[in-house]
Amino acid sequence: MKKMSRYEIVGFDVFPCSVKRDTTAMSKLSMYDKVDPVDCPLELDKSQAIQEQGKISFTYEVVFVKSDVRWPSRWDAYLRTEGDKFHWFSIMNSLMAIFFPAGILFAIFLRTVRRDLTRYEELDEESQAQMTE
């Protein structure tokens, strides 16, 4: 049997940019028609100006680059931490997202329990006062 060559995507980069295109010419193209590749323009006059009720052409370009990264080790660049390079802001943000709502719920719970205990004590005092009479 002949072994088929197989490629696996191990990463990608996205570079968004705005390119001025002729919208009438672009609307006449079908799905798989070729569009001339364009480098991202740095000049404002070559960028697409957005106007109210105006048409915008969305295109994308894909370039495949062979890499020596193997499929099982594709996450190593993100999971490897060197020294003290932890994301302290993300860790603190996560902790605040947990403890702040928990603190609010705890305060509501305490107020409810305190109010209920006060009400039960008043009922207990009333019942004891009635029993002594």
Side-chain angles (χ1 to χ4, degrees):
M1 252 188 188
K2 184 179 179 183
K3 185 177 178 182
M4 292 178 51
S5 60
R6 185 175 143 197
Y7 297 99
E8 297 169 328
I9 297 174
V10 294
F12 60 90
D13 293 322
V14 177
F15 302 103
C17 68
S18 175
V19 177
K20 186 186 292 184
R21 302 263 189 189
D22 183 13
T23 55
T24 55
M26 292 296 287
S27 63
K28 293 177 184 175
L29 295 174
S30 63
M31 185 182 300
Y32 296 107
D33 289 344
K34 297 282 185 193
V35 178
D36 295 331
V38 177
D39 290 332
C40 288
L42 298 177
E43 301 87 22
L44 286 176
D45 61 331
K46 293 182 182 176
S47 295
Q48 175 70 40
I50 299 174
Q51 299 168 354
E52 190 172 334
Q53 302 297 322
K55 291 186 176 185
I56 299 174
S57 298
F58 290 96
T59 59
Y60 65 93
E61 185 176 325
V62 178
V63 178
F64 291 98
V65 179
K66 188 170 178 149
S67 172
D68 294 331
V69 177
R70 304 281 304 153
W71 179 258
S73 60
R74 67 191 183 279
W75 287 101
D76 288 352
Y78 304 107
L79 298 176
R80 191 177 311 131
T81 57
E82 298 173 5
D84 292 335
K85 290 186 178 180
F86 289 108
H87 298 280
W88 290 111
F89 180 75
S90 298
I91 293 170
M92 292 304 294
N93 190 22
S94 299
L95 290 175
M96 290 302 294
I98 292 169
F99 288 124
F100 184 70
I104 291 174
L105 289 175
F106 186 70
I108 293 170
F109 177 74
L110 279 179
R111 286 179 55 191
T112 306
V113 168
R114 188 177 297 144
R115 190 178 318 135
D116 288 347
L117 288 176
T118 305
R119 190 177 309 143
Y120 292 143
E121 287 176 5
E122 289 173 0
L123 288 174
D124 189 40
E125 290 173 2
E126 288 176 13
S127 64
Q128 285 182 358
Q130 288 177 356
M131 291 175 79
T132 57
E133 290 177 359

